[in-house]
């Protein structure tokens, strides 16, 4: 069981103000967590290679390589209004 001083030290590090009930509750919860960790540490993992992820997924992103694009004329073909190879829209903000 984790003692009261350890719980208070952890609470201080986390900048938490705990009541006496919370100190008791968190002490028992932290003790239970440490017991579970102790059980996990007893498992034989000598044949298991270290991994960063549980699954063996690879990066599914494509390479960032330049590719030819559409011409401005093709992109603006269906635009309702255009000016100098740009899409012309109504002003959203009124200026001075």
């Amino acid at each position: 069981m984790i003692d009261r001083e350890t719980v208070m030290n952890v609470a201080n590090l986390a900048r938490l103000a705990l009541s006496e009930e919370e100190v008791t509750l968190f002490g028992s919860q932290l003790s239970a967590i440490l017991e579970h960790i102790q059980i996990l540490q007893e498992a034989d993992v000598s044949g298991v290679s270290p991994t960063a992820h549980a699954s063996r997924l690879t990066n599914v992103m494509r390479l960032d390589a330049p590719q030819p694009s559409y011409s401005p004329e093709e992109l603006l073909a269906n635009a309702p209004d255009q000016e100098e190879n740009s899409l012309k829209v109504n002003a959203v903000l009124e200026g001075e």
Side-chain angles (χ1 to χ4, degrees):
M1 176 85 179
I2 293 181
D3 62 351
R4 182 184 186 288
E5 290 179 22
T6 304
V7 175
M8 293 302 293
N9 185 36
V10 171
N12 185 40
L13 292 172
R15 304 292 190 255
L16 297 174
L18 301 179
S19 67
E20 286 302 318
E21 292 174 356
E22 291 172 326
V23 170
T24 305
L25 174 66
F26 294 152
S28 63
Q29 289 177 347
L30 288 171
S31 293
I33 291 170
L34 292 177
E35 287 174 16
H36 289 296
I37 291 172
Q38 180 63 34
I39 293 169
L40 290 174
Q41 287 178 336
E42 294 172 3
D44 179 23
V45 293
S46 59
V48 179
S49 62
T51 58
H53 297 284
S55 66
R56 300 197 185 276
L57 291 178
T58 58
N59 192 353
V60 295
M61 310 270 289
R62 67 172 171 80
L63 293 175
D64 190 15
Q67 298 177 6
S69 183
Y70 295 103
S71 68
E73 292 79 22
E74 289 177 290
L75 293 173
L76 295 171
N78 293 324
D81 198 8
Q82 49 186 299
E83 180 178 306
E84 298 178 9
N85 279 338
S86 298
L87 183 62
K88 189 173 179 183
V89 296
N90 294 334
V92 177
L93 302 173
E94 294 182 21
E96 296 178 18

